Each structure stands twice: as C-alpha cells, then as structure tokens.
Amino acid sequence: MGKQRKKTRISGKVDELPEEIRQQVDVMLVDTSNTYLSISLKLKDMGYEVSKSSIGRYALRTASATQRLLEAQAQTEQLVKVIQKNPDADYTEAGIRMMVNGLIDKIATAEEEFDTLPLDKAGRLLASLSRTKVYKDRVKQDMQKKADLAFSEMEDRIMKLIRQDPEAAAQLRTILQEAKDRMMQDD
C-alpha cells in the first residue's frame, strides 16, 4: 500500500491549558530571561505537566504567526500610504501582487503546513487571481480603445478648425498623442 504520511500536530499541551494560564505563558515567553525549562517548571508548580519541548514548539508556532501578522500589517500600511499619496492610482495591481507574494511565501514555507492547506483551495485562489489579472487587462484595453476613439474624434473636430495652419496642426497632433500616452501610463 501507499506510504502513510505523519500527521502534523497543530496544537500541543500549551494550547490545552486554561486561557489565563496560556496568557501567563505568553507573557513569560516575551521575557527573554525565561528559558523553556524555567517556564515548564513554573507550570509544574502550578499543577500543569508541560515539557520544555512543548513550550519550545508553542513558542515557535506563536512567533511564526505573530511574524506573519506583523508582515501583513506592514504591507497593508504601505498600500494605504500609496493610495493616500495617489488616490487616482490603480491599486488593484498592488493588491494582486501582495496576494501572489503571500501565496508564494505560503508555498515556499509550507513544509509542515501542506497538510493544513488544501491544494484545491490554493488552486482556486491562484485561479481567482489569474481571472482578476485578465479582467484588469481587458478593462485597460477597453479604456485604451475608448480613449483612442475619443481623441481621434476630438482631433478631427479640431483639425477642421485649424486646417489653414499646417504647423499648428502638427503641434496639436503631438500634444494629443502625448496626452493619450500619459493617460494610459501605469504609475
């Protein structure tokens, strides 16, 4: 038969402690003068048998989760700053990039987490991001077509007015082309 995979434990002895005791463990872990052994001994004095290894695994798990939350918060703050500075900017691209980056990080560091991340869910998320990108590109193409049509009509109307001056007509074409190019630039 096929090779059986070892299940990764998501919770441990510390997670089974009462909430107030677990909070005390969290406080003790923040104080770097406490060792895992000293925390284990303090818990034993309180009537809870928790090994120093269990404390260490809990500390790694919670530190990793805290780090991910801090990184997500920093990314969100950066996105908000960009939006505030450029309210007319297309921030969907930044959001998509953040999601793809998060997915790539998740996949790259998921050695133990693959058991808890259903691949179909990751696949659906990736497909959704791809559809969003395609939709965004279509909207941009549609806007380009509409801008081309509007500028062409405006150019025709203005050209009728200034046909008598070929130099002015050439300058106007240049100005219109520059305006169209600037309008479609990604910032």
Side-chain angles (χ1 to χ4, degrees):
M1 291 243 171
K3 188 177 178 182
Q4 234 180 340
R5 290 172 30 153
K6 180 182 170 186
K7 280 203 167 194
T8 304
R9 183 176 14 186
I10 296 173
S11 64
K13 291 264 189 185
V14 177
D15 297 296
E16 296 168 3
L17 293 172
E19 180 67 25
E20 64 185 43
I21 303 298
R22 193 170 65 244
Q23 288 177 355
Q24 290 177 21
V25 171
D26 290 339
V27 169
M28 288 187 274
L29 284 170
V30 170
D31 181 354
T32 56
S33 66
N34 290 319
T35 65
Y36 298 156
L37 179 59
S38 69
I39 295 171
S40 175
L41 292 173
K42 285 178 187 175
L43 287 173
K44 187 173 185 176
D45 290 343
M46 297 166 80
Y48 300 100
E49 286 287 332
V50 181
S51 70
K52 70 177 185 175
S53 298
S54 290
I55 302 289
R57 284 190 298 273
Y58 175 78
L60 287 173
R61 226 179 29 253
T62 56
S64 175
T66 301
Q67 182 63 32
R68 285 193 303 262
L69 285 173
L70 290 172
E71 288 171 0
Q73 182 180 13
Q75 286 179 338
T76 302
E77 287 172 2
Q78 287 298 106
L79 182 59
V80 168
K81 285 178 185 176
V82 168
I83 292 169
Q84 287 173 342
K85 287 181 182 175
N86 306 301
D88 296 330
D90 179 11
Y91 55 88
T92 56
E93 184 69 29
I96 290 170
R97 286 183 186 184
M98 285 173 55
M99 288 293 293
V100 169
N101 187 37
L103 246 178
I104 290 169
D105 286 349
K106 180 84 170 162
I107 291 168
T109 60
E111 290 177 25
E112 293 181 13
E113 295 178 6
F114 270 120
D115 289 337
T116 61
L117 174 68
L119 290 178
D120 62 325
K121 186 175 182 178
R124 284 192 307 269
L125 183 56
L126 193 54
S128 176
L129 289 171
S130 296
R131 281 192 302 273
T132 302
K133 174 78 170 121
V134 168
Y135 175 75
K136 181 181 175 278
D137 290 344
R138 280 188 190 148
V139 167
K140 187 174 180 178
Q141 286 175 346
D142 287 346
M143 285 185 62
Q144 179 69 50
K145 287 177 186 175
K146 289 176 183 177
D148 287 344
L149 181 61
F151 276 94
S152 177
E153 288 175 4
M154 185 172 32
E155 182 180 3
D156 289 345
R157 290 175 64 191
I158 293 172
M159 291 304 289
K160 285 179 185 176
L161 296 173
I162 62 167
R163 281 199 203 270
Q164 295 84 4
D165 187 355
E167 186 178 324
Q171 288 176 346
L172 179 62
R173 279 194 190 98
T174 301
I175 291 169
L176 287 172
Q177 186 60 47
E178 288 173 2
K180 191 185 329 180
D181 292 344
R182 268 192 239 127
M183 188 175 116
M184 296 311 296
Q185 282 180 346
D186 282 337
D187 290 326

